[in-house]
Amino acid sequence: MTDLTFATAQADTRRAYLCGAPGVLTSGLVWLAAAGTAALVSSDRAVLVLLLGGALIFPVSLVVTKLLGASGKHAAGNALGGLAGESTVWLITGCIIAYGAHLLRGSWFFPVMLLVIGSRYFAFQTVYGMRTYWVLGALLWGAGMAIAMANGPAVAGALAGAVIELVVAGVLFVQARRRSA
């Protein structure tokens, strides 16, 4: 397959990665670990947990995807795989910006990360052809704005990311099951 139609490319991506559900689940668990760290250790350590754990999301989610029976590999001619990879550049840039914001004011890291991750998920609507990603992006983005405006604690930002992603991961798993049936 070298020149897939747009709809075929989206269907291929949904099939290969179970609608992205394992990635959102893994990300939600990283947010949850950061929330626990913020509550029990410190917000500075929680920042490290989110950044270091975030670097492991894709490889861990691939393992989960394969354990659940999907290939974890899109077709060779699927340009949408490139879009997902290219959006990683924005993600890394956003992490740098969030860390810089953290150095200026510790309470800014988690709201900025919610905005960054939420913004990246908007592109996943194109990758997967699923409006669920617009909802996920909007929820994270809205939580980031609300927590920033309230100057909320780190645990609130991390917990918001965890809850939103874990709930939406459940929705994505249901959608993946329905599409495969």
Side-chain angles (χ1 to χ4, degrees):
M1 283 190 198
T2 54
D3 291 320
L4 300 176
T5 66
F6 196 71
T8 303
Q10 288 175 323
D12 174 62
T13 306
R14 287 190 301 268
R15 176 200 49 76
Y17 301 102
L18 298 173
C19 296
V24 176
L25 172 66
T26 304
S27 181
L29 292 173
V30 170
W31 280 102
L32 188 60
T37 303
L40 301 173
V41 182
S42 73
S43 59
D44 286 338
R45 294 284 185 210
V47 167
L48 293 176
V49 167
L50 192 67
L51 290 174
L52 296 175
L56 299 173
I57 291 170
F58 184 68
V60 170
S61 69
L62 276 182
V63 170
V64 172
T65 299
K66 290 179 180 184
L67 287 173
L68 294 173
S71 67
K73 184 170 174 44
H74 52 273
N78 189 338
L80 294 175
L83 175 60
E86 291 159 357
S87 72
T88 302
V89 175
W90 158 246
L91 176 62
I92 292 167
T93 302
C95 289
I96 294 166
I97 292 167
Y99 189 73
H102 169 70
L103 294 176
L104 292 173
R105 182 180 237 169
S107 64
W108 287 352
F109 178 78
F110 286 100
V112 172
M113 284 303 295
L114 287 164
L115 294 168
V116 167
I117 303 298
S119 296
R120 183 175 190 232
Y121 278 132
F122 289 124
F124 279 31
Q125 190 285 328
T126 301
V127 171
Y128 289 102
M130 299 173 67
R131 291 185 178 148
T132 306
Y133 282 101
W134 281 343
V135 173
L136 176 55
L139 288 170
L140 291 171
W141 202 91
M145 288 300 296
I147 292 166
M149 292 172 71
N151 199 29
V155 69
L159 192 57
V163 169
I164 292 166
E165 288 207 28
L166 292 172
V167 168
V168 174
V171 170
L172 288 168
F173 274 115
V174 168
Q175 290 175 328
R177 174 175 271 172
R178 285 183 184 158
R179 288 177 187 271
S180 68

